[in-house]
Amino acid sequence: MTITLITGANKGIGFETAKQLLELGHVVYVGARDAERGEKAAAALGARFVQLDVTDDASVSSALATIDSAEGRLDVLVHNAGILENGVIDGPTALRVFNTNAVGIVRVTEAALPLLRKSSNPTVVTVSSSAGSFWAVTNPDRPEFHLTAALYSASKSAATMLTVQYAKSQPGIKFNALEPGFTATDLTAAFGGGRSPEESARTVVRLATLDADDPTGTFQDETGELRW
């Protein structure tokens, strides 16, 4: 039995990831900031709900304590919670975006490490973005070259770097980041188009179900490793 926690799992890629991992037999905890939406999503999936706001230390600690009490360990952690900026670039907006997209990863990872160390095959997956890849945003052949989203891109650069650094400092735990592909979700509604969350979730699921001797410290999409 594999115990999995997914942050921001009440909709979009997180919801579809939860659905697919449940089909593979995982016990999935749907982490969501909004209790009503999270409970509704968990009920629809047949998953378990835990209130989790990645920007709130007390909420994160309480969520991991709940999982510890019920399960005694955590096998898979998926960092999926994330936000876009609203077009404004200023100090308060930067703090808000980085607090969710980067600092939130630190909060949840640090709270989860004691439980992950109790797993026989601990795995952490970060839903990052090639919008934060220096290679992609400077390559005219890539769609990211034309994307202007300074705070989101910078925060995703930080998310990928955190993943790589955790992989180095925690060699007993796999840490990998991914570019899920341009996906039609609430987050990207302003851009229009995009593929289904179900399709994008497949890469998350692949990285969440790696064997013990599979790679760590990578940044990937559905085709394999990406430059970043």
Side-chain angles (χ1 to χ4, degrees), residues 14-160:
F15 182 90
E16 289 298 331
T17 299
K19 182 178 179 180
Q20 292 177 30
L21 289 175
L22 282 162
E23 291 171 354
L24 293 175
H26 287 222
V27 173
V28 176
Y29 281 82
V30 168
R33 180 176 53 185
D34 185 290
E36 183 177 350
R37 292 176 183 172
E39 288 174 347
K40 184 177 180 180
L45 288 164
R48 304 178 185 183
F49 168 70
V50 63
Q51 197 279 332
L52 199 164
D53 180 350
V54 301
T55 68
D56 183 272
D57 290 282
S59 170
V60 171
S61 296
S62 177
L64 272 298
T66 296
I67 295 171
D68 186 15
S69 177
E71 313 293 347
R73 74 176 194 281
L74 182 65
D75 300 300
V76 178
L77 169 61
V78 178
H79 294 294
N80 174 71
I83 59 172
L84 272 170
E85 69 251 42
N86 56 11
V88 175
I89 299 180
D90 56 19
T93 306
L95 287 170
R96 181 173 61 85
V97 172
F98 272 82
N99 196 20
T100 299
N101 294 357
V103 183
I105 290 172
V106 176
R107 283 193 186 93
V108 179
T109 301
E110 291 298 321
L113 281 175
L115 291 181
L116 287 164
R117 293 187 183 117
K118 296 178 181 179
S119 171
S120 61
N121 184 26
T123 302
V124 180
V125 182
T126 301
V127 179
S128 189
S129 173
S130 52
S133 161
F134 290 86
W135 164 75
V137 301
T138 58
N139 184 344
D141 296 328
R142 294 282 302 195
E144 296 86 356
F145 181 83
H146 306 283
L147 177 67
T148 303
L151 299 179
Y152 177 78
S153 292
S155 69
K156 289 300 187 177
S157 295
T160 303

